[in-house]
Amino acid sequence: ANRAIEAWSLGRVHEVQGMNLHKLLHPQCPQNACDLSQRLDEAWESLATHGAADFEIGDPLLRRALSVTLRPMSSGADDTALTADDLVVIVLSDFTELHRVQSTLKSMNEELETRIEERTRELNVSRNELSMLSARLMTTQEDERKRIAQELHDSIGQSLSAIKYSLERAVEMTHTKDPTAPRHLLLTTIARVQQTVESIRSIAMNLRPSMLDDLGAVSAVRWFCREFAN
């Protein structure tokens, strides 16, 4: 025994010589109900069978985490089996602080993994929401483009075709002897041009009403409601 005995408050070196290891470590403990005693018995059996024994144990009485190593010192006999003259070296190492640090690191790693999993879930949810929003935005843009294309085709396109036809008809009328003949047709064409201008202005207003910037969203919504009612 060395002076680690004194550091562990188990007595002085000369006082512990020849003591049973279990009684030394657990002086008030019943041997038949002690985990340390059982592990030591198993170690002695392993020592006789395998020639070495090692185990680790968390000792609640000493409040220490112990590593126990048993190694035989042969007496020099030819027979490899242990004899009564052989000696055994028992080394006890205190790795309580290492165990505490490892436990702390394990807890920190588990907490970090939990945070990473939570953050990953949050990012996945955000990514899914962004994907849905992006898809919805693309669908909305596509629907708006279809609506504008339809309005241009049905309203502006037809009006311009009618204006073109009216102007061609007016040109033909200029070849007649009556110079006032195309007057009515030209007046009708001018009215249709005005309607086309108003249609273009309405389309632009629906896309981005100027009152949205001038008067705000509430006034713009009221205007749309009035237009819809009309």
Side-chain angles (χ1 to χ4, degrees):
N2 59 24
R3 293 193 177 277
I5 292 292
E6 299 175 3
W8 289 11
S9 301
L10 298 175
R12 297 185 179 276
V13 175
H14 69 276
E15 295 174 346
V16 303
Q17 297 289 350
M19 289 184 63
N20 175 278
L21 180 59
H22 174 261
K23 290 181 179 180
L24 173 63
L25 298 177
H26 294 174
Q28 305 297 329
C29 175
Q31 190 166 347
N32 58 353
C34 178
D35 187 33
L36 175 62
S37 176
Q38 181 179 353
R39 298 293 296 275
L40 284 171
D41 291 341
E42 294 172 355
W44 285 117
E45 295 176 3
S46 176
L47 188 68
T49 305
H50 302 96
D54 302 274
F55 67 88
E56 295 180 355
I57 185 172
D59 194 324
L61 294 180
L62 292 176
R63 296 181 181 179
R64 297 176 186 273
L66 300 179
S67 173
V68 183
T69 302
L70 285 75
R71 292 290 184 270
M73 296 178 62
S74 176
S75 61
D78 293 337
D79 190 359
T80 56
L82 291 176
T83 66
D85 295 329
D86 289 330
L87 300 177
V88 175
V89 175
I90 303 177
V91 179
L92 292 101
S93 302
D94 180 7
F95 64 103
T96 305
E97 185 64 21
L98 176 62
H99 183 74
R100 185 190 65 80
V101 172
Q102 290 176 341
S103 179
T104 301
L105 289 176
K106 182 180 178 180
S107 299
M108 293 175 63
N109 287 334
E110 291 176 352
E111 182 180 357
L112 180 60
E113 290 177 358
T114 301
R115 290 184 179 181
I116 291 175
E117 290 177 357
E118 292 177 353
R119 184 57 179 163
T120 302
R121 285 195 295 267
E122 292 175 357
L123 291 176
N124 289 335
V125 171
S126 299
R127 189 179 296 112
N128 293 336
E129 291 177 350
L130 288 175
S131 298
M132 293 176 59
L133 183 61
S134 178
R136 188 176 301 173
L137 178 61
M138 293 179 64
T139 302
T140 303
Q141 289 178 340
E142 189 65 22
D143 292 342
E144 184 70 7
R145 289 171 180 170
K146 289 180 180 179
R147 184 185 66 80
I148 295 173
Q150 190 70 28
E151 288 186 1
L152 291 176
H153 178 269
D154 295 342
S155 177
I156 308 301
Q158 292 183 6
S159 296
L160 291 177
S161 297
I163 291 171
K164 176 178 177 294
Y165 173 78
S166 297
L167 292 176
E168 290 174 348
R169 180 61 178 162
V171 170
E172 292 177 359
M173 288 182 177
T174 57
H175 297 296
T176 64
K177 295 181 180 181
D178 184 5
T180 62
R183 175 181 175 82
H184 176 72
L185 184 58
L186 290 175
L187 291 175
T188 303
T189 303
I190 292 173
R192 186 172 293 274
V193 170
Q194 183 62 34
Q195 293 176 358
T196 304
V197 171
E198 292 178 356
S199 296
I200 294 174
R201 184 181 293 113
S202 176
I203 293 174
M205 196 69 173
N206 289 332
L207 289 175
R208 181 70 182 185
S210 59
M211 66 179 62
L212 187 62
D213 298 320
D214 299 337
L215 302 177
V218 175
S219 298
V221 171
R222 288 174 177 169
W223 176 82
F224 270 113
C225 291
R226 289 195 302 269
E227 289 294 314
F228 182 76
N230 293 334

